[in-house]
Amino acid sequence: MDASQFAADLRGRIKAAREAYDEAEREEDFYAMDVRSGELKSLRRLASENGVDLSDNDQDHAQSVNRENGVSAADSAPADPDGPTAGAAE
């Protein structure tokens, strides 16, 4: 697989994960939001490690997801475990 195909596939996976996150958010499925947030973080890290430039739109979405999860732009730590997802499975 060449670099441009890898980048295109990665962008497609990010788009799909972002859409799944948005759907989970609409449904107020906090567990799914956490899962998709982690998936997006992992995919973005993979993009960064491989020099894949992501669109400004995706970066804006990442920042909004991070704000919702209590993560600042400079902080890569996970959200507070006692945050909005605590007790979601109860």
Side-chain angles (χ1 to χ4, degrees):
M1 175 185 311
D2 67 8
S4 62
Q5 183 62 45
F6 174 77
D9 288 348
L10 188 55
R11 286 184 189 107
R13 290 177 61 194
I14 289 171
K15 180 181 178 188
R18 185 175 58 232
E19 290 170 355
Y21 177 92
D22 291 342
E23 182 177 341
E25 184 178 39
R26 282 190 300 275
E27 295 175 0
E28 297 182 358
D29 183 344
F30 300 114
Y31 175 76
M33 287 171 63
D34 277 349
V35 169
R36 296 306 174 199
S37 179
E39 180 180 15
L40 285 165
K41 182 178 176 181
S42 176
L43 290 168
R44 287 188 184 98
R45 184 177 56 249
L46 182 62
S48 175
E49 290 172 354
N50 288 280
V52 176
D53 184 34
L54 301 177
S55 70
D56 290 337
N57 184 34
D58 185 63
Q59 293 301 321
D60 291 342
H61 186 270
Q63 291 172 359
S64 68
V65 168
N66 284 340
R67 279 192 302 273
E68 291 166 7
N69 288 327
V71 179
S72 70
D75 183 9
S76 62
D80 180 359
D82 295 325
T85 59
E90 293 178 14

